[in-house]
Amino acid sequence: MKARRIYHISSRTHLFAVLLLLFLLDGLMLWFISKMDHARAIEHTRATLRNTAVSLEERTKRTVTATNLILRDLAERIRDGRTGNLADYVSEDSWERLRQYAETLPDTGSLWLLDSRGDLLMDSTGYPSRAHNFSDREYFRPQKEQGIETYIGPIVKGRITNKYSFTISRRLSDANGEFAGIILAAIDTDDFTNFLGSLNIGEHGSVAVLRTDGALVLRQPMLDEYLGKNYSHLPVFKALAGSASGILLQGRGMDGRERMVAFKKVEGLPLVAVTGISRESMEREWLGRIRNYVLFAGIAFLALIGLSWLIYQSTSREEAVRRELEESERRHRSIFENSIDGILLTDPVSGRILAANPAACRIFGKSEEEICRGGRSALVDMEEPNLASIFSVRDGTGMCIGELTCLRGGDRRFPVEAASGIFEDKDGNQRAIIVLRDVTERKKLEKQLMSHTAKLEQTNRELMDFTSIASHDLKEPLRKIAAFGERIQAGYANRLDERGRDYLGRMLKAAGRMESLLEALLAYSRVSTRAESAREVDLKLLVEEIVSDLELRIEATGGTVTVGKLPVVEACPDQMYQLFQNILGNALKYHRPEKKPVVRIGSDCEAGNERCRIWVEDNGIGFEEEYSEKIFAPFMRLHGRSEYEGTGMGLAICRKIVARHGGTITATGKPGVGALFTIELPLAQDRQDEGGS
């Protein structure tokens, strides 16, 4: 009874520890969720502010631009219709025209005409106008004294209408260019207030339009205390100095309330649109969700406590262990029965075979009963030299891997790969598992591969012998023809007539071309037979070296070669040099006489991709699309030797180099426009294929 009591106390303590851990995990998860949700709330607020700032900027720009166009048109009409003093323009017809223009304003407003003293001559609200002087308004003096053409005034409270409005005014000049007065649009903020109210800024939010010098043009909500003040001290103007738009995570507005603020400068105008959402509005919804999360987490934790207690009461440790053993036995039995490799269960001491799976029965051509009855000596060649060493390793380390010779049908031997390990069963007896794989077919393939490799090496040696013959025996007669031809030309040219000298010159040129063709053919064959091993090659450094080597040709043609971003690949350095020298050399050679060659080389390599695409583009003579494959054939020329020198082997060598590296090369072109060569190469070479055909 005493031991039983200790067991229950220990189990309850363990349960309490698990529940405490779950409580801590629950709290950690709740904290993590709240942080993530708070970040999402901030990001949502940023997006809302960004969108509202853009909407406000667009609306402001549309209103100011449209109003300015109306004022400009009206100013031109006043100038054309006025014969003398601006007061002479005032008439009922002129007022009617002014009223019609006011109706075309993009927002509710009125148009006023002021003379050079600031006296109101006409306004679109009624005729005749009441006597008022506006020379003390902010917009009047800059346009009169500084000659400012268009002026956007700050928000004011109208003396006549007693409403908030802002002004857009245009300077009027007389025939001598002197100040004659102002045509002014007073824009009521009612329509803007409705628009600003439609923006999703929440409680205690604000939207405003300010001049870049700090003067307030619009605000929602608007109070009289904001009139006539300058707000260039606000943080948004410091931020505006570095960027035309942005978001301030913390900023105090003109009412002193803390908000997240977005600003955007109005394109082409000295205005900035500002929107702000208060921290209370931003966090109210987030706090509500956090309360719900806490409530849900509490309920879930209480439910978890109840469920844990029920599981503790209904499930015993012995039952869990029994189920685990059954599951483990099922897994091992499934592996044993369904494995494609043969598996034997043996007694490592006596060598007795206790069990064999179906795959082992197929390998040895026997039933499980026959395998167990015959024992190890009926399956394995006991005279195998490796047998003793393999078992010795297993006895020392508990496991071993090696090759054995097994018996099938009594005396038929076949090779197997074997892996063995020792373990103890539930009764404490030592047992050994042996996994066997018949490698007869693989051995045959390896033998065939070795034979094929030997034949290939013999073929390569014969090809190298042919190359040696071609480089020496075939070139020797050509050298003699050239040498004797040169002697005839030097000693007997004056004894030959014109036709004889022509024939002699043709013979020497033909010998020279034949020697060039042999050299090109040898270079083509050496791509495979004399290639060095692959290593890392920085193609950008390599191409820059080629451009340096081609400097004289580039200067002679007046061309330019632009080298862009190029990758580092695993390749044969000499062959990469030959590849890109041929392509860049062709780009410079096949240029149009009337145009300087312009060659560009770059690459498109995506991260994580095992291959890269390299392109070379020129503005040369180009070619027809039907020749896009033919130009890679050996000795293929699209032009006569009198036009462009060469053997026609350069691009054939390029294709063979690219193919040897496991890549592809293609070409497209258009006559009179240029050509584009595209090379696709693997970033790393397969070591088994290195030095391939």
Side-chain angles (χ1 to χ4, degrees):
M1 290 294 294
K2 192 171 184 180
R4 187 181 183 87
R5 180 67 177 169
I6 292 172
Y7 170 78
H8 280 292
I9 291 173
S10 175
S11 300
R12 288 169 184 168
T13 303
H14 182 263
L15 177 62
F16 177 79
V18 171
L19 291 175
L20 179 61
L21 178 61
L22 290 174
F23 178 78
L24 293 175
L25 289 174
D26 197 32
L28 182 62
M29 184 177 295
L30 181 62
W31 174 82
F32 180 77
I33 291 174
S34 67
K35 292 290 288 183
M36 293 293 292
D37 200 64
H38 188 260
R40 283 195 296 269
I42 291 177
E43 189 57 35
H44 175 72
T45 303
R46 289 169 66 95
T48 301
L49 284 171
R50 195 180 295 112
N51 292 335
T52 54
V54 170
S55 298
L56 180 59
E57 184 264 350
E58 291 175 350
R59 175 63 187 273
T60 303
K61 180 181 178 181
R62 188 166 61 249
T63 296
V64 173
T65 302
T67 303
N68 193 34
L69 289 174
I70 292 171
L71 291 177
R72 186 174 65 183
D73 187 57
L74 183 57
E76 290 175 358
R77 280 183 171 270
I78 293 173
R79 182 192 61 198
D80 296 337
R82 177 166 55 89
T83 58
N85 193 298
L86 191 61
D88 298 335
Y89 179 77
V90 178
S91 68
E92 191 168 353
D93 290 339
S94 300
W95 173 83
E96 179 61 22
R97 188 177 299 110
L98 191 69
R99 186 188 63 78
Q100 291 174 356
Y101 269 97
E103 290 178 351
T104 64
L105 290 172
D107 293 278
T108 304
S110 57
L111 293 174
W112 301 352
L113 179 64
L114 310 180
D115 65 10
S116 60
R117 296 186 303 277
D119 293 328
L120 177 64
L121 299 179
M122 281 195 303
D123 75 89
S124 61
T125 59
Y127 184 84
S129 301
R130 289 171 290 178
H132 285 283
N133 185 275
F134 296 91
S135 60
D136 60 338
R137 291 294 196 186
E138 181 186 307
Y139 51 81
F140 190 84
R141 181 171 294 175
Q143 291 191 286
K144 179 178 181 179
E145 298 177 1
Q146 300 175 21
I148 296 176
E149 188 73 18
T150 302
Y151 192 88
I152 301 174
I155 190 168
V156 296
K157 200 167 188 178
R159 296 174 180 174
I160 300 175
T161 62
N162 203 34
K163 292 182 178 181
Y164 293 116
S165 64
F166 67 95
T167 60
I168 303 173
S169 56
R170 190 172 184 88
R171 187 178 191 271
L172 298 176
S173 303
D174 59 18
N176 298 321
E178 297 294 326
F179 178 70
I182 289 174
I183 182 69
L184 175 145
I187 307 298
D188 295 341
T189 60
D190 292 346
D191 289 345
F192 258 98
T193 300
N194 294 334
F195 167 74
L196 299 179
S198 68
L199 299 178
N200 184 23
I201 56 173
E203 187 180 2
H204 303 304
S206 70
V207 291
V209 177
L210 298 99
R211 285 202 319 234
T212 52
D213 62 358
L216 179 64
V217 177
L218 282 171
R219 191 181 191 277
Q220 173 66 19
M222 181 63 193
L223 299 174
D224 288 352
E225 64 190 63
Y226 302 147
L227 297 172
K229 296 181 180 179
N230 187 281
Y231 298 98
S232 59
H233 62 279
L234 294 178
V236 69
F237 286 93
K238 185 179 292 185
L240 188 64
S243 175
S245 63
I247 293 179
L248 302 179
L249 293 179
Q250 290 184 346
R252 294 191 176 275
M254 54 188 68
D255 58 358
R257 187 179 294 273
E258 186 173 300
R259 297 181 178 90
M260 181 182 285
V261 173
F263 64 93
K264 191 173 192 308
K265 190 177 185 303
V266 181
E267 184 181 357
L269 297 172
L271 301 174
V272 57
V274 183
T275 61
I277 295 179
S278 67
R279 179 174 290 275
E280 299 94 320
S281 298
M282 181 179 67
E283 295 183 344
R284 182 180 294 112
E285 186 176 349
W286 170 71
L287 290 173
R289 287 197 298 271
I290 293 301
R291 284 193 292 269
N292 292 337
Y293 292 154
V294 172
L295 180 61
F296 177 80
I299 295 173
F301 186 72
L302 292 175
L304 185 62
I305 292 176
L307 181 62
S308 300
W309 182 254
L310 291 175
I311 293 173
Y312 171 77
Q313 292 288 5
S314 62
T315 306
S316 66
R317 181 178 299 176
E318 291 79 9
E319 181 68 17
V321 171
R322 184 183 65 80
R323 289 178 179 175
E324 287 180 7
L325 286 174
E326 289 179 352
E327 179 62 26
S328 176
E329 186 176 348
R330 280 196 296 271
R331 284 198 301 268
H332 287 89
R333 173 56 61 180
S334 176
I335 294 171
F336 185 80
E337 295 291 344
N338 298 307
S339 173
I340 62 174
D341 293 325
I343 301 176
L344 301 176
L345 177 63
T346 71
D347 182 342
V349 178
S350 65
R352 245 178 352 109
I353 297 176
L354 306 176
N357 74 337
C361 295
R362 288 194 300 270
I363 290 173
F364 292 105
K366 298 179 179 181
S367 66
E368 183 179 11
E369 183 180 353
E370 290 173 330
I371 290 174
C372 293
R373 188 171 57 246
R376 185 169 63 190
S377 60
L379 303 179
V380 180
D381 183 0
M382 302 305 291
E383 297 179 0
E384 167 70 44
N386 295 334
L387 191 61
S389 62
I390 290 175
F391 285 149
S392 175
V393 171
R394 188 184 69 178
D395 293 340
T397 63
M399 61 181 296
C400 64
I401 298 174
E403 286 193 4
L404 296 175
T405 301
C406 289
L407 305 175
R408 184 186 293 129
D411 58 354
R412 239 174 8 133
R413 289 168 169 75
F414 63 96
V416 298
E417 278 186 347
S420 181
I422 296 178
F423 68 97
E424 285 188 356
D425 64 11
K426 61 181 180 180
D427 298 323
N429 300 316
Q430 274 201 342
R431 295 289 182 257
I433 283 286
I434 303 176
V435 181
L436 305 169
R437 177 173 294 175
D438 188 348
V439 293
T440 303
E441 291 301 320
R442 195 185 75 187
K443 291 290 184 181
K444 289 181 181 178
L445 291 174
E446 287 177 354
K447 189 174 181 181
Q448 292 174 2
L449 182 60
M450 290 175 64
S451 175
H452 179 72
T453 302
K455 291 178 181 178
L456 186 61
E457 289 175 352
Q458 177 63 28
T459 302
N460 282 340
R461 283 195 295 270
E462 291 173 357
L463 182 59
M464 292 179 69
D465 292 341
F466 169 77
T467 301
S468 177
I469 292 170
S471 64
H472 183 270
D473 295 350
L474 294 181
K475 288 167 64 176
E476 185 60 28
L478 283 177
R479 291 194 187 98
K480 288 184 178 180
I481 291 172
F484 283 113
E486 289 171 356
R487 289 183 183 181
I488 292 172
Q489 191 176 46
Y492 302 95
N494 56 355
R495 302 184 187 181
L496 299 175
D497 59 10
E498 186 64 29
R499 179 177 296 179
R501 286 192 294 273
D502 179 53
Y503 288 165
L504 180 61
R506 291 186 184 186
M507 181 186 73
L508 290 174
K509 288 180 180 179
R513 284 198 303 273
M514 188 62 186
E515 187 171 7
S516 297
L517 289 174
L518 276 176
E519 291 291 347
L521 188 59
L522 288 172
Y524 184 75
S525 67
R526 286 169 182 162
V527 170
S528 302
T529 59
R530 295 191 180 179
E532 60 179 320
S533 58
R535 62 175 184 266
E536 280 195 351
V537 179
D538 189 332
L539 292 184
K540 184 171 179 63
L541 296 179
L542 183 137
V543 170
E544 287 174 348
E545 181 182 350
I546 293 171
V547 172
S548 178
D549 292 343
L550 294 173
E551 184 178 1
L552 293 179
R553 188 183 298 184
I554 294 171
E555 290 179 355
T557 58
T560 58
V561 179
T562 303
V563 182
K565 183 179 179 181
L566 293 173
V568 175
V569 300
E570 196 174 78
C572 171
D574 289 345
Q575 292 190 352
M576 288 295 103
Y577 187 95
Q578 188 176 13
L579 167 65
F580 289 104
Q581 185 186 48
N582 284 354
I583 294 177
L584 293 175
N586 282 354
L588 293 170
K589 179 168 66 173
Y590 294 105
H591 73 276
R592 288 175 281 168
E594 72 279 5
K595 268 193 172 289
K596 295 180 180 179
V598 176
V599 185
R600 295 171 56 244
I601 180 170
S603 66
D604 302 317
C605 298
E606 297 180 3
N609 202 331
E610 295 181 354
R611 300 177 73 85
C612 65
R613 189 174 71 89
I614 304 163
W615 45 264
V616 181
E617 184 180 31
D618 64 59
N619 66 337
I621 60 175
F623 56 85
E624 297 286 354
E625 281 298 317
E626 62 183 288
Y627 296 110
S628 59
E629 277 298 316
K630 295 180 181 178
I631 59 176
F632 292 103
F635 304 114
M636 181 63 187
R637 295 178 57 88
L638 301 183
H639 307 278
R641 295 185 183 88
S642 60
E643 295 179 87
Y644 299 99
E645 62 179 8
T647 63
M649 288 295 292
L651 291 180
I653 292 173
C654 289
R655 171 159 281 186
K656 193 165 187 181
I657 290 172
V658 173
R660 178 183 176 271
H661 287 81
T664 60
I665 179 170
T666 57
T668 57
K670 190 173 181 181
V673 176
L676 173 66
F677 286 83
T678 304
I679 304 164
E680 188 175 301
L681 289 172
L683 295 177
Q685 293 293 311
D686 187 347
R687 292 297 179 184
Q688 294 178 348
D689 296 336
E690 191 174 298
S693 60

